[in-house]
């Protein structure tokens, strides 16, 4: 993928986001674009950066750390969005500003303990397995209230909201349903610090924005197809 293609794709995605914001009567710039750069080389990230993109999401710790080193001079905000193994929490806690994929108290406690002194709290979202698929990470919706209560107590984390990867659907109304359900469940918690809905990927960003997404996580539409089509988290 060339520099120009990434620049063009970025423009198009921003136009789609703006249009979806308008369609949902939401304020301009209420949705943040997170560029998902897993499996893509540092050059692709640099191209998007040069075109103005600042937030990048990665799924694999070792791969992410290598890219962070290569791009050390760039003012990038790094988000971890992949499944979390307990033996990787220290690297994640220290090298990312955001983690979208927290799905147990054990992992949350480790991230809080390992964040390191003098750092701002780590922004975290709880991943909810909203379509209740066996193959996906994430807590059940029924666990959300309890885990929110527990994670909110951890000193070096800032609980920001939820992340979801619903089962793929092509129909717009069907794409909206799981996001609507999760949005309402979060609203029912009545906790104003929960301001983040990490909803929507390349194929369902309009539906996600119509149901309250504040961060959309876009890989393919920005960087092109991934050679390694490993299933997402
Ligand atoms: C890979 C990935 C994405 C990006 O998906 P695309 O369909 O390529 O836009 C978003 N979120 C998560 C958690 C991912 O693993």
């Amino acid at each position: 993928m060339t520099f120009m293609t990434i620049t063009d794709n970025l423009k198009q995605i921003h136009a789609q986001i703006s249009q979806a914001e308008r369609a949902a009567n939401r304020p301009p710039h209420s949705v943040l674009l997170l560029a998902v750069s897993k499996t893509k080389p540092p050059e692709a990230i640099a191209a998007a950066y040069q075109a103005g993109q600042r937030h990048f999401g990665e799924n694999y710790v070792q791969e992410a750390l290598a890219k962070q080193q290569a791009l050390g001079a760039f003012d990038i905000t790094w988000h971890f969005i992949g499944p979390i193994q307990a033996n990787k929490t220290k690297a994640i806690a220290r090298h990312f500003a955001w983690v979208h994929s927290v799905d147990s108290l054990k992992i949350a406690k480790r991230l809080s303990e390992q964040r390191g002194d003098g750092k701002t709290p780590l922004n975290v979202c709880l991943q909810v397995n909203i379509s209740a698929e066996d193959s996906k990470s994430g807590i059940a919706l029924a666990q959300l209230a309890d885990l929110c209560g527990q994670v909110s107590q951890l000193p070096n984390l800032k609980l920001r909201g939820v992340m979801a990867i619903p089962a793929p659907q092509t129909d717009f109304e069907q794409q909206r349903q799981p996001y609507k359900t999760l949005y309402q469940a979060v609203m029912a918690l009545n906790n104003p610090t929960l301001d983040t809905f990490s909803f929507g990927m390349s194929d369902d960003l309009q539906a996600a924005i119509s149901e309250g997404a504040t961060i959309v996580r876009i890989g393919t539409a920005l960087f092109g197809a991934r050679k390694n089509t490993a299933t997402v988290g």
Side-chain angles (χ1 to χ4, degrees):
M1 182 129 319
T2 66
F3 180 92
M4 277 316 291
T5 316
I6 289 174
T7 305
D8 285 349
N9 290 349
L10 198 56
K11 274 198 197 119
Q12 258 185 32
I13 296 162
H14 278 300
Q16 280 177 8
I17 291 173
S18 297
Q19 202 240 322
E21 285 169 342
R22 278 196 302 278
N25 289 316
R26 299 186 47 194
H29 311 295
S30 47
V31 179
L32 178 81
L33 171 57
L34 178 63
V36 175
S37 44
K38 63 170 176 244
T39 79
K40 299 296 175 182
E43 292 74 21
I45 297 176
Y49 184 94
Q50 236 85 78
Q53 180 64 29
R54 290 295 178 271
H55 290 258
F56 290 86
E58 289 279 343
N59 292 56
Y60 310 105
V61 177
Q62 292 318 117
E63 180 191 330
L65 297 188
K67 290 183 208 173
Q68 289 179 356
Q69 273 225 302
L71 298 163
F74 291 63
D75 178 26
I76 289 176
T77 301
W78 294 99
H79 298 236
F80 190 81
I81 64 172
I84 304 173
Q85 293 165 281
N87 64 353
K88 298 282 166 59
T89 51
K90 188 170 183 181
I92 294 171
R94 304 218 164 183
H95 295 280
F96 290 83
W98 282 78
V99 180
H100 294 226
S101 43
V102 173
D103 68 353
S104 73
L105 182 59
K106 175 188 162 189
I107 292 293
K109 280 182 169 162
R110 290 177 66 95
L111 290 170
S112 182
E113 281 161 13
Q114 296 169 335
R115 174 65 171 162
D117 296 334
K119 284 202 141 122
T120 56
L122 182 62
N123 294 294
V124 301
C125 292
L126 303 181
Q127 183 173 353
V128 179
N129 186 1
I130 192 65
S131 304
E133 295 172 279
D134 289 343
S135 60
K136 292 260 171 74
S137 320
I139 58 167
L141 189 57
Q143 298 171 270
L144 180 64
D146 282 351
L147 192 57
C148 276
Q150 291 162 333
V151 172
S152 300
Q153 309 297 315
L154 299 173
N156 300 321
L157 302 186
K158 186 167 186 192
L159 179 63
R160 297 296 299 271
V162 291
M163 186 270 263
I165 311 171
Q169 303 277 357
T170 48
D171 176 72
F172 184 72
E173 291 305 321
Q174 286 183 19
Q175 287 179 344
R176 292 173 69 169
Q177 266 323 305
Y179 294 127
K180 179 181 242 140
T181 302
L182 182 51
Y183 187 89
Q184 287 172 350
V186 172
M187 285 299 148
L189 298 175
N190 211 356
N191 178 345
T193 64
L194 302 179
D195 61 2
T196 301
F197 297 86
S198 175
F199 286 178
M201 317 199 298
S202 294
D203 289 332
D204 68 350
L205 86 164
Q206 282 96 349
I209 290 171
S210 76
E211 297 303 334
T214 61
I215 301 181
V216 290
R217 309 178 311 273
I218 307 296
T220 308
L222 176 58
F223 294 116
R226 290 177 292 275
K227 283 199 197 79
N228 171 356
T229 53
T231 52
V232 296

